[in-house]
Amino acid sequence: MRFVRYGEKGAEKPGVLDADGGLRDLSGVLPDLAGDVLANLPQITPEALPKVDGRPRLGVPVAGIGKFIGIGLNYSDHAAETGMEPPEHPIVFMKATSSITGPNDTVHLPRSSRHADWEVELGVVIGKPAKYVDEADALSHVAGYCVVNDVSERRFQSKLSGQWTKGKSCDTFGPIGPWLVTPDEVGDPQELSLTLDLNGERMQTGSTSKMIFTVAQIISHLSEIMSLQPGDVIATGTPPGVGMARDPRRFLTEGDEMSLEISGLGRQTQRVLQD
């Protein structure tokens, strides 16, 4: 199933896509796509639900996200392009929940930002609590998968002293969506292709098969450190092609347009504005 939330920001309703990609209203079945609902997403026939006319704005497909967790340097080919050694354990950082925005909403660069970068990533949404989870059982805690753009201000990230969080948490730096796709429809999360285009030019091409730490390993590792709760989102790292690793380096400027896609998870597109 492909679940969505649609409508104006702050007033989104739950929805689901039918077999033809049409949007159906799910609000008569459940109040929202959040919390404990994610552990038992309804098995329904979308065609039996009311059809939503027009092309409403799509919001973040999960409401009430408690934690937005990032995994750094998690693709072997991305590590190679940066000249860094693959990490022994997952690199973990947090993105502020205030960075979260809809999949096609505008990305706003902070006033002093001159080194903002793009990162297409597989997002994992937790469906049921996870604490001390074995790798073999980890994927049973997943409600679904989605596309994430881990927008990153590289100067904030590495030059302002402190942790990566500074460069990862700016407002609108966390587009999520368009869909929450259930695991049965995704299949093996380690066999997905990822792409990102900037102004129509291909920047990133990758495969989750190149992850250093798999989705199951990441969930197991995190659950040893902190409890994972329904609605938590994990951005699992990015493939090669980021702006900071290009020669010459290339960063986002006002008027740019990013378009990201992961096989089976849909496409998101953002226009860039400078505050």
Side-chain angles (χ1 to χ4, degrees):
M1 303 289 289
R2 295 171 293 171
F3 292 95
V4 302
R5 296 175 68 249
Y6 68 96
E8 295 302 313
K9 191 170 185 177
E12 294 93 344
K13 293 182 178 181
V16 64
L17 299 187
D18 61 28
D20 297 323
L23 179 57
R24 302 285 178 152
D25 182 13
L26 195 60
S27 61
V29 179
L30 48 82
D32 210 344
L33 293 162
D36 293 339
V37 167
L38 298 171
N40 294 289
L41 290 168
Q43 296 295 314
I44 55 174
T45 302
E47 288 74 12
L49 298 173
K51 192 170 185 177
V52 178
D53 294 326
R55 297 175 62 86
R57 169 189 173 271
L58 294 181
V60 180
V62 180
I65 296 171
K67 292 193 287 294
F68 192 7
I69 305 168
I71 305 298
L73 208 66
N74 193 35
Y75 281 68
S76 57
D77 42 6
H78 174 51
E81 76 168 347
T82 62
M84 300 175 71
E85 289 294 323
E88 182 179 355
H89 305 287
I91 295 173
V92 178
F93 60 89
M94 307 298 288
K95 288 177 75 78
T97 54
S98 53
S99 73
I100 296 171
T101 190
N104 302 315
D105 292 345
T106 300
V107 167
H108 291 267
L109 305 182
R111 292 177 180 176
S112 60
S113 172
R114 300 294 182 270
H115 299 87
D117 209 343
W118 51 85
E119 293 190 20
V120 59
E121 306 204 4
L122 172 64
V124 179
V125 179
I126 298 299
K128 63 180 183 180
K131 181 73 171 176
Y132 303 125
V133 172
D134 292 334
E135 184 180 330
D137 185 48
L139 296 186
S140 71
H141 293 260
V142 175
Y145 301 91
C146 57
V147 184
V148 172
N149 189 355
D150 177 21
V151 185
S152 307
E153 218 301 337
R154 301 303 188 188
R155 186 177 69 86
F156 294 5
Q157 179 181 346
S158 61
K159 303 297 183 182
L160 294 188
S161 301
Q163 302 300 314
W164 287 8
T165 298
K166 288 183 179 181
K168 301 285 190 173
S169 294
C170 306
D171 293 351
T172 74
F173 272 27
I176 299 175
W179 314 324
L180 172 66
V181 185
T182 52
D184 61 300
E185 190 160 326
V186 173
D188 186 349
Q190 306 308 144
E191 294 184 355
L192 303 177
S193 62
L194 311 85
T195 61
L196 183 145
D197 296 340
L198 180 65
N199 303 327
E201 180 183 353
R202 181 60 47 87
M203 294 290 155
Q204 289 187 273
T205 301
S207 169
T208 56
S209 65
K210 296 290 188 179
M211 281 186 179
I212 297 168
F213 304 102
T214 66
V215 172
Q217 289 170 331
I218 290 168
I219 292 172
S220 179
H221 177 78
L222 290 174
S223 76
E224 294 285 332
I225 299 167
M226 66 185 86
S227 62
L228 300 174
Q229 301 299 327
D232 287 348
V233 175
I234 307 167
T236 57
T238 199
V242 296
M244 71 171 184
R246 303 183 74 86
D247 185 16
R249 291 187 170 192
R250 184 169 177 180
F251 297 111
L252 296 170
T253 59
E254 180 159 9
D256 282 342
E257 183 176 275
M258 296 176 282
S259 186
L260 300 71
E261 187 169 8
I262 299 179
S263 54
L265 302 185
R267 175 181 290 267
Q268 57 172 236
T269 300
Q270 304 98 30
R271 184 165 174 257
V272 177
L273 290 180
Q274 184 89 48
D275 284 351

